[in-house]
């Protein structure tokens, strides 16, 4: 076990689950696991990747802009707009961790996925 990675993974999951709860109570996990940061040396440097989705949320675009974005910025997350014509995308980063919130412009589906900073594997 890697206690640093476990702590970072727990912190990231808490943030992502909190963001997902803003869009509705039924978030479905999509990914939850360790990921190699250096494919040339598998297992030496790793991060944790975690993601969820909310299938439908009325007003998701407004929730992201009016509630989620200000709350995360107040908590020290830097926001970056990566939106396209098909989806509203906000990328958040802090202390080497990052995650993105994808909101479909049609239908209100929300996907959130992120990863911790990379750490030495023990």
């Amino acid at each position: 076990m890697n206690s640093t990675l476990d702590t970072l993974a727990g912190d990231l999951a808490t943030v992502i689950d909190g963001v997902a709860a803003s869009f509705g109570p039924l978030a479905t996990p999509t990914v939850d696991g360790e990921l190699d940061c250096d494919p040339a040396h598998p297992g030496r440097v790793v991060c944790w990747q975690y993601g969820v989705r909310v299938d439908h949320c009325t007003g998701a675009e407004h929730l992201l802009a009016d509630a989620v974005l200000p709350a995360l910025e107040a908590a020290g997350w830097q926001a970056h707009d990566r939106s396209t014509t098909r989806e509203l995308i906000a990328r958040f980063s802090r202390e080497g961790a990052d995650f993105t919130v994808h909101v479909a412009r049609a239908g209100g589906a929300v996907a959130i996925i992120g990863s911790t900073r990379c750490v030495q594997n023990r």
Side-chain angles (χ1 to χ4, degrees):
M1 298 299 281
N2 186 324
S3 61
T4 300
L5 186 60
D6 291 342
T7 300
L8 294 172
D11 292 347
L12 179 66
T14 297
V15 170
I16 289 176
D17 288 343
V19 170
S22 299
F23 297 104
L26 300 175
T28 304
T30 57
V31 64
D32 184 4
E34 196 173 286
L35 184 67
D36 273 317
C37 294
D38 182 2
H41 301 98
R44 290 188 187 172
V45 180
V46 296
C47 68
W48 198 263
Q49 189 175 40
Y50 181 71
V52 299
R53 77 171 188 268
V54 177
D55 288 326
H56 180 73
C57 174
T58 302
E61 289 184 46
H62 295 292
L63 285 170
L64 178 59
D66 299 337
V68 173
L69 179 65
L72 288 171
E73 287 180 328
W77 290 88
Q78 290 184 311
H80 308 277
D81 184 6
R82 301 289 187 244
S83 299
T84 68
T85 56
R86 295 184 63 194
E87 60 184 341
L88 185 64
I89 304 169
R91 180 175 176 261
F92 298 94
S93 58
R94 183 178 75 181
E95 299 172 4
D98 68 280
F99 67 95
T100 55
V101 179
H102 300 256
V103 176
R105 293 193 189 270
V110 178
I112 307 167
I113 189 165
S115 62
T116 65
R117 66 178 169 84
C118 294
V119 298
Q120 288 293 122
N121 200 8
R122 298 180 193 179

